[in-house]
Amino acid sequence: MNGTRVGCARCSTDEQDVVIQTEQLRAVGVPEDRIYIDRGFSGTTRRNRAGLDQALAAVWNGSVFTVTKFDRFARNMAEANEILTDLSGRGVLFGLGGSVYDWNDPFGRLFPQTLAMVAEFEANLGNLRTREGMALAKKSGKLKGKQPKLLEPARRSICRRYAEGGVSLADLATEYSVGRSTIHRIIHEPETARWVDHTPKTDVTLRSRSFSAPTAVPGFPQPRRPSAIQVPKRSRCRGILAVTSAERTPRTARSR
């Protein structure tokens, strides 16, 4: 296969380096300007992976979408199969290291799907081991939780400056010495998680009360119970609704 290669690399944390992946991609013929990188993503989802999106947009019919290892591409079987199906429909080949898989070959179509299943299994197994280790550390009192990389004042300043414009994610990441994915999470995190109301609560608690038993409030008039409406037992005139005693006008004395 002599198609032009487009490479995609990924690292899970901001501290990890992708030099080895980029060197391996260049070794199999991927040009330097066609290597797209995602930093700070685990690969279990393709959301917010700008590098992967750019690599998928840069391929065309006859080119080869290339990764060094399958888990650098995806660790979710459903999303991996969705992307592979899209590549196949566009005539884009899938390259894993120096190997290129042809969609017209049954093995070439089966093998990437099998790798997607194995990658998801390994991710789930790693998550299970992590939860078991965290549960043991929490039981022994050694788990204190992960501290945020940036304090709340810095996070507020980042959100305000980005909303005002004139500064990019890369500029903020360089200024605060963190990865762009960290700045991205701070800007797009839910409002309820970003702003926490630290205002002290008053001692007044509102409670629902029954309307049948109104409660007196100091400084206000005593509430009165509504008087029961007197309904006449029976009207003398059939077909005509008798008025209540409260609505009845005073009668004059009957003339004898």
Side-chain angles (χ1 to χ4, degrees), residues 4 9 48 52 69 83 85 107 152 199 220 223 226-227:
T4 303
N48 302 326
L52 176 60
K69 294 192 301 181
I83 298 175
T85 302
F107 177 80
E152 186 63 26
T199 306
F220 292 88
S227 58

Side-chain angles (χ1 to χ4, degrees), residues 232-243 251:
K233 294 182 179 180
R234 190 178 183 84
S235 174
R236 294 183 180 181
C237 300
R238 295 181 179 180
I240 302 176
L241 179 63
V243 297
R251 292 183 177 182

